[in-house]
Amino acid sequence: MLRSPVVGELLAWIYLHPDDACSVTELSARLAVSQSTVSREADRLAKADLILEQRRGNLRLLRANLDSPLARPLTELLVISYGPPSVLSDMLATVNGVDEAFIYGSWAARCRGEPGPFPKDVDVLVVGEADEDDLFEAAGRAGRQLGRGVNVHRVSVDVWHRGADSPFLVSVRSRPRVSIDITRH
């Protein structure tokens, strides 16, 4: 069922946002893959009765099939394996002052195909002027939902853009990282 990272990410977004119907166009942009890829995978997932489709004119909307006997265990699996970008996106979208955010460290490395043990936590770099207490609260909520610790490190926009003198930022830039979409809903 999770035959590629695209399928996992697609299912994760759909199942971790069960109240939302997402268009193929929106999912294509969010996952940075072609609309034809999302459409093809959606056909397979609909045929397997994992997602539901709704048409509004030319718009094809997709949502989780919560009546499927696989819905609950699949959601739990997706939270563990593909959940951090989706969960953190939702949490950080509520925090003022977040300009950009990235997952780095072991979770990002596994996501990008590097071998190693399954990560016990998620490391997040937040770029902006967000309040530390607000970030700590959002990380706590995300950690409870993901079932693992979420460690947030904040840097200003200026430090991020000129961070060549920081060994930490050089390391984050040179290793795999995963962007977190912080689009305000």
Side-chain angles (χ1 to χ4, degrees):
M1 177 174 22
L2 300 178
R3 55 190 197 73
S4 74
V6 170
V7 174
E9 291 170 18
L10 177 62
L11 278 170
W13 188 263
I14 291 171
Y15 270 84
L16 298 181
H17 297 88
D19 298 328
D20 300 336
C22 301
S23 73
V24 169
T25 304
E26 177 186 2
L27 290 165
S28 169
R30 183 171 299 284
L31 302 177
V33 297
S34 70
Q35 288 183 26
S36 63
T37 297
V38 172
S39 186
R40 183 177 56 251
E41 296 302 343
D43 289 342
R44 288 184 179 115
L45 295 170
K47 189 177 273 190
D49 205 29
L50 294 174
I51 65 170
L52 303 172
E53 298 179 295
Q54 182 181 12
R55 297 261 183 190
R56 288 196 188 142
N58 289 335
L59 195 61
R60 182 180 181 194
L61 299 171
L62 310 175
R63 71 175 341 126
N65 181 0
L66 299 178
D67 292 329
S68 166
L70 294 175
R72 184 170 176 220
L74 178 59
T75 300
E76 291 172 1
L77 175 65
L78 292 167
V79 165
I80 292 168
S81 56
Y82 289 93
S86 181
V87 169
L88 288 163
S89 171
D90 290 346
M91 297 299 167
L92 292 175
T94 66
V95 178
N96 291 324
V98 176
D99 290 1
E100 295 179 83
F102 305 95
I103 297 173
Y104 66 95
S106 59
W107 197 91
R110 295 303 138 321
C111 186
R112 297 291 186 211
E114 287 187 17
F118 193 76
K120 293 184 170 99
D121 60 5
V122 180
D123 299 308
V124 180
L125 175 68
V126 172
V127 179
E129 301 302 326
D131 181 80
E132 291 278 349
D133 291 336
D134 293 343
L135 289 173
F136 181 77
E137 185 179 315
R141 287 192 321 266
R144 284 188 294 281
Q145 190 170 348
L146 294 169
R148 71 188 69 215
V150 175
N151 310 307
V152 177
H153 183 87
R154 183 193 69 183
V155 297
S156 70
V157 173
D158 185 49
V159 167
W160 174 245
H161 289 295
R162 65 171 176 76
D165 57 343
S166 165
F168 168 71
L169 293 179
V170 169
S171 171
V172 169
R173 284 193 174 110
S174 66
R175 304 275 302 140
R177 65 180 190 264
V178 177
S179 291
I180 300 171
D181 177 13
I182 53 165
T183 305
R184 310 282 184 225
H185 299 290

